[in-house]
Amino acid sequence: SHYLTLYSSFNHLEDEIFNQYGVKVHIVRGNSDKDETVKAEMGNVTGELLEQSLYDKASVSVTGGSTMAKVSESLHPLDKDILFTPARGGLGENVVFQANTICASMANRTGGSYKVLYVPDQVSESSYETLLKEPAVIEVLDAIRRSDFIIHGIGDALKMAERRKSSDEVLSQLKHHHAVGEAFGYYFNAKGEVVHRVKTIGLQLEDLATKTNIFAVAGGASKADAIKAYLEIAPKNTILVTDESAAKAIINAE
Ligand code: BG6
């Protein structure tokens, strides 16, 4: 495919990350912190890999974020019946970057279907328990857990907490525990230990191991520590799509 020839110069870096973490890697040229087209190219590579591996009646669960939005923009009409679900409910994102929005747009672009998870960000313990008993919620949760493919972003811990307008208490807890990375609403320290998690329903970290493929998409030098932390615990069925500047920072920090 076109990007393989274009980016073959990163084979060595891809191999180094694979040897270190046991995760397959695709690297695009540049730094997505500084150049939006690099983020779009990570989206294209992910879209291409996903479209190659999808089969009829497959289901895909996605998280939110600006990188996932680029993945959705890269998708094409497919001759397959694909179901898209949001990986987790209510994580406090602006509506355009919410998993619900991204999965609806992926379904629209591919001609597939989608399910939405209606879970607010801040729920009391009792309403949370009640929500979990709602048949509509149970049905979506079931589809999420059964999903064959996962596509997710990785964020810098403190940036994500601020973007979600987390409380001062949560922010200081994250700082206290040296949180560096975030994925699926889980916050990790540099060793990949979970130091905090957003209380919401949907995919749990332990659900990942059984999936056909997991695409983790994140780039930019500013995310290097976050990606590195996530790689410490990333399931081996993960395929990381990242950019040159993140990949170099991950390897140089060894
Ligand atoms: C959020 C996800 O929507 O996007 C996070 O819930 C993820 O898990 C984040 O880390 C990544 O955002 P972006 O904009 O950096 O791609």
Side-chain angles (χ1 to χ4, degrees), residues 64-67 91 93 153-155 160 163-164 182-184 223:
S66 61
T67 316
L91 289 176
E93 281 279 31
I154 301 169
M160 279 316 298
R163 201 159 104 184
R164 288 176 174 143
E182 184 279 346
F184 307 105
K223 281 192 186 179

Side-chain angles (χ1 to χ4, degrees), residues 53-60 80-84 148-149:
S53 31
L54 282 176
Y55 44 84
D56 194 38
K57 305 262 186 295
S59 55
V60 182
K80 294 161 192 154
D81 183 15
I82 310 293
L83 171 67
F84 293 88
D148 307 299
F149 295 83

Side-chain angles (χ1 to χ4, degrees), residues 180-224:
V180 292
E182 184 279 346
F184 307 105
Y186 291 78
Y187 290 85
F188 306 92
N189 64 16
K191 290 184 190 155
E193 294 161 344
V194 176
V195 295
H196 178 71
R197 61 195 279 191
V198 180
K199 189 176 171 76
T200 185
I201 59 178
L203 204 79
Q204 307 300 314
L205 266 189
E206 50 274 21
D207 296 330
L208 296 178
T210 59
K211 306 300 173 192
T212 309
N213 277 146
I214 302 164
F215 296 98
V217 195
S222 67
K223 281 192 186 179

Side-chain angles (χ1 to χ4, degrees), residues 20 124 146 195:
Q20 179 76 23
S124 66
R146 281 198 316 258
V195 295

